[in-house]
Amino acid sequence: DIANAPNNPHPGKIFNRPGGPDNYKGLQIDYRGSDVTAQTFLAVLTANASAVARKGNGKVINSGPNDRVFVFYSDHGAPGVLGMPSDEFLYADQLHKAIKHKRQNNGFKEMVLYIEACESGSMFDGLLERYVSVLGVTASNQYESSWGTYCPRWPPQPSPSPGPAPDMGMGTCLGDLFSVAWMENADTSDLTAETLHTQFQLVRDR
């Protein structure tokens, strides 16, 4: 829980851009701490409520054949794996097994996965082609790192608005480049008109 981590200079608050709002305020968290594991993620994705009955609030993605499912993941990664705050990694074959299971059980009409992690392209490279109506978009290909943004500058500069500037005692980058790019695009675009392909091009070219 980064909001209440002892090294957060703004306890109970999270910012992902200079001068931005507190993104933690009013946030409803379904799972936290040691409950956030690969097995919890897979159970939520596949609507396996019994597997998370004693974790968090027990919510799962109980979607049906007419639903569009969006998944955003952000953490560390390496070839073929995604990190988790607790317990073991999430492996590419586990993710695809879960997607296949959900599709075979009419769990979605279309699925989009945005993955923010180093080497995140390896989670889909050569694996996704056999699926229909599933789109995977990653921060990096299977060989490269993903990068932070809104990182501390030197010398410090004043913030143009009430929220903290990245160099006002934060001591860290406020976001990741891919994540910040697509979220800021979503904040300023008409998402009833902009296509995923358009957003992909804008984020790639940023």
Side-chain angles (χ1 to χ4, degrees):
D1 186 352
I2 63 174
N4 298 301
N7 57 344
N8 183 356
H10 300 272
K13 297 181 180 181
I14 297 176
F15 303 94
N16 69 349
R17 62 180 173 86
D22 172 19
N23 293 298
Y24 199 72
K25 185 178 181 179
L27 187 67
Q28 179 179 330
I29 299 175
D30 299 321
Y31 300 91
R32 68 167 74 235
S34 60
D35 287 338
V36 184
T37 66
Q39 293 307 312
T40 298
F41 175 88
L42 294 170
V44 170
L45 182 61
T46 57
N48 184 358
S50 62
V52 290
R54 298 179 180 272
K55 297 180 179 181
N57 59 14
K59 282 188 176 181
V60 297
I61 303 176
N62 194 23
S63 51
N66 297 316
D67 292 319
R68 293 182 171 93
V69 175
F70 176 74
V71 176
F72 171 59
Y73 167 96
S74 180
D75 204 309
H76 295 291
V81 300
L82 297 175
M84 285 286 165
S86 302
D87 210 19
E88 299 178 351
F89 295 135
L90 173 66
Y91 293 88
D93 62 333
Q94 293 176 310
L95 176 61
H96 288 275
K97 182 179 179 180
I99 294 172
K100 183 177 180 180
H101 172 84
K102 196 168 187 70
R103 179 169 174 260
Q104 290 176 337
N105 287 273
N106 297 313
F108 62 89
K109 178 180 180 181
E110 297 170 327
M111 179 182 289
V112 176
L113 302 99
Y114 277 19
I115 308 294
E116 173 73 67
C118 292
E119 289 92 28
S120 48
S122 64
M123 297 298 291
F124 298 112
D125 185 50
L127 299 172
L128 199 56
E129 286 77 8
R130 62 182 179 273
Y131 295 121
V132 177
S133 301
V134 177
L135 173 67
V137 183
T138 62
S140 59
N141 63 28
Q142 63 268 44
Y143 306 114
E144 63 187 1
S145 298
S146 62
W147 297 99
T149 190
Y150 295 144
C151 297
R153 298 187 300 266
W154 190 262
Q157 300 175 15
S159 174
S161 51
D167 40 30
M168 290 180 64
M170 299 299 284
T172 188
C173 301
L174 297 186
D176 295 300
L177 186 57
F178 168 69
S179 301
V180 165
W182 78 257
M183 288 181 189
E184 290 188 351
N185 169 263
D187 285 342
T188 58
S189 301
D190 180 1
L191 297 183
T192 65
E194 182 179 274
T195 65
L196 288 170
H197 184 256
T198 297
Q199 184 177 78
F200 170 80
Q201 291 179 312
L202 293 170
V203 170
R204 180 191 59 187
D205 295 340
R206 175 165 166 166

